[in-house]
Amino acid sequence: MRSMRLCLIFILLLWAAVAMPAMGYPASTAIKVTVLNSDGSPACGVHVTLQNGNYAVLGNGTTDATGACAFTVSPGSSVVRAIVSDGEYSLTSVWHDTNDTAILVRLPAVGVVSGSIKLDGMGRGNPLVVLDDARAFDSTPYEVSQQNGSSLYTFTVNRFSFTTSKGWHSIYAVGYSDGMVYMSDRLDINVTEKEDVVLELKPAGENTSILPAVAYERLFHTTAFITWANVSGTLMGADGRPVANASLTIQDYFMKDQGVTRTDANGAFAFGPLNLSTDVVRFRANIVDNGTEYVSYSRLYPVENSTSLKVNLTDYPRPTVGYIYGIITPGGNSSSPTPMSGTVYLSNGMVQEVSPDKNNGQFFFTVAPGTYEIYAEHVEGAQRLVSDRISVEVEPAWSPMAASPTILVVAPQKIQYLPLLAALIIGAFCIAWMWQATRRWL
């Protein structure tokens, strides 16, 4: 009897071990993922990946007009989560019990980060912008020259632009050319609506191991041999409108021309089968507008995603804004001034706080073309250091590097002897007049 009871208990335990996991999650369940923008509106067209607790992918989908994406899956574990990607960043939800079939993901508010990379002797190659040591973004040549008509191009300035979540981020530029690694200083920036920065590359050595992993992968794995590819899409201006009747040249990673075509009235273009030697391409657009020819380069595009491309130009049509940037410094070495914290005042009412700890002491204003006065002050304890007022002429430009940096040298305020003497004389005259008037009254 005792052995029969033990056998029965063993059978019950065995049944529980088999049945309870099945009870923990059903064989098949419907899970709905809803994605909302930061303002609460539905996020349409966002890619969603569903994972189980073993990190296995259960399915992929795209949100509809209501921001929803539905899955019918066999979870295989008691929890699931959603990974949401809008092409610029990914957001992972918390783990949800498989009985909780509704997952809500709210996208963070995003801002735009743009600016320029100043190249110091980097003759060839494509510098990247690294964000938070985890994401790398391509840059676009803004000033390119060709040495002695040869096939060797010299890069002077590259531009970049991307979106990311608002808040504090670290950013720097890296590149590799002719056996040398180039890197800029690391900046800490607070992304709000739009942040503009200037990154200056400097030779950093020949050891490529100093490159972050994300940059190394992008710099050295972009030359895989491609046989034949068809490339088509639409050419768009910076204002989002199609660019019609433009001469469009497709180039490989090394800026070697691979083919030429022309956009139609809707900005559409198509290149026939091309024998490409790199797995990324860029475009050069030559546009004639009211008798003026504009030349603009696109960013790099993977060949594997080269059909129905939306090629956006960032240098056309004509820019409507200009830039003022620079640093506050106590003086000293004029060729390499030391940045310091302070407040910068612009005559149009704009004010900006700068600090070497946060943004390397750089101030940056995006303003309408015109003439502005600018000055800075630095307060240290009871001492107030103020710079001279400088007049700055702002020309319309797409690149911050089109403007020369403004160096604001702060120093203790000088005593203005002439106004002081005039005040003393006027004060003495007033006292003498009051004394005479008092004598007559008495």
Side-chain angles (χ1 to χ4, degrees), residues 295-311:
V295 179
S296 180
Y297 290 85
S298 79
R299 66 175 179 85
L300 293 167
Y301 291 89
V303 173
E304 61 185 18
N305 299 319
S306 57
T307 57
S308 302
L309 288 177
K310 297 294 184 182
V311 178

Side-chain angles (χ1 to χ4, degrees), residues 67-411:
C69 185
F71 299 88
T72 301
V73 295
S74 299
S77 71
S78 60
V79 292
V80 291
R81 68 178 180 179
I83 301 175
V84 177
S85 173
D86 71 345
E88 294 291 349
Y89 62 88
S90 294
L91 186 68
T92 303
S93 75
V94 297
W95 291 106
H96 287 251
D97 191 286
T98 50
N99 295 320
D100 181 8
T101 58
I103 300 177
L104 177 63
V105 179
R106 186 180 293 270
L107 297 178
V110 297
V112 178
V113 180
S114 62
S116 296
I117 305 174
K118 184 177 181 181
L119 288 75
D120 183 9
M122 182 176 167
R124 290 179 292 178
N126 185 53
L128 305 172
V129 177
V130 179
L131 187 73
D132 299 328
D133 291 317
R135 298 163 61 199
F137 299 92
D138 292 307
S139 61
T140 302
Y142 180 72
E143 296 178 8
V144 183
S145 62
Q146 196 171 11
Q147 294 183 359
N148 301 323
S150 68
S151 61
L152 178 63
Y153 289 87
T154 299
F155 294 72
T156 305
V157 173
N158 273 35
R159 296 181 61 248
F160 61 88
S161 180
F162 58 86
T163 60
T164 188
S165 59
K166 294 184 178 181
W168 286 103
H169 296 273
S170 68
I171 183 174
Y172 57 98
V174 297
Y176 182 80
S177 176
D178 297 327
M180 177 65 68
V181 176
Y182 294 80
M183 303 185 76
S184 74
D185 293 334
R186 180 190 296 265
L187 300 182
D188 291 321
I189 58 173
N190 185 15
V191 178
T192 54
E193 296 298 327
K194 188 176 189 300
E195 295 298 320
D196 296 285
V197 295
V198 177
L199 305 173
E200 298 189 21
L201 288 179
K202 303 172 185 177
E206 298 180 355
N207 183 6
T208 58
S209 66
I210 65 176
L211 290 167
V214 64
Y216 186 92
E217 180 67 22
R218 291 286 289 277
L219 290 172
F220 294 101
H221 293 82
T222 55
T223 57
F225 181 78
I226 302 297
T227 53
W228 295 93
N230 292 299
V231 181
S232 62
T234 304
L235 182 65
M236 315 290 288
D239 55 2
R241 298 178 180 178
V243 180
N245 198 34
S247 176
L248 196 62
T249 303
I250 188 171
Q251 299 178 326
D252 63 14
Y253 178 77
F254 302 105
M255 298 189 68
K256 182 179 179 181
D257 294 352
Q258 300 290 322
V260 180
T261 189
R262 185 168 291 276
T263 61
D264 64 14
N266 298 315
F269 64 87
F271 292 91
L274 300 173
N275 189 6
L276 301 173
S277 59
T278 63
D279 60 2
V280 291
V281 293
R282 78 172 94 219
F283 300 88
R284 182 184 69 232
N286 292 70
I287 308 159
V288 178
D289 188 348
N290 293 325
T292 302
E293 183 176 5
Y294 298 90
V295 179
S296 180
Y297 290 85
S298 79
R299 66 175 179 85
L300 293 167
Y301 291 89
V303 173
E304 61 185 18
N305 299 319
S306 57
T307 57
S308 302
L309 288 177
K310 297 294 184 182
V311 178
N312 294 98
L313 300 179
T314 55
D315 297 337
Y316 177 83
R318 286 181 59 85
T320 58
V321 298
Y323 302 91
I324 302 174
Y325 79 96
I327 64 169
I328 305 174
T329 181
N333 187 354
S334 58
S335 62
S336 181
T338 302
M340 66 186 305
S341 61
T343 306
V344 183
Y345 298 90
L346 206 58
S347 56
N348 66 349
M350 298 177 73
V351 179
Q352 192 172 133
E353 300 287 338
V354 299
S355 168
D357 297 332
K358 296 298 181 183
N359 48 19
N360 208 30
Q362 291 186 93
F363 57 84
F364 205 110
F365 296 98
T366 303
V367 295
T371 303
Y372 300 84
E373 281 194 346
I374 187 173
Y375 73 96
E377 69 175 11
H378 170 83
V379 178
E380 190 170 337
Q383 188 179 32
R384 180 172 177 264
L385 308 180
V386 182
S387 75
D388 293 334
R389 291 178 177 266
I390 298 177
S391 180
V392 179
E393 183 71 25
V394 178
E395 299 289 340
W398 285 107
S399 169
M401 295 306 301
S404 299
T406 301
I407 309 299
L408 299 178
V409 180
V410 294

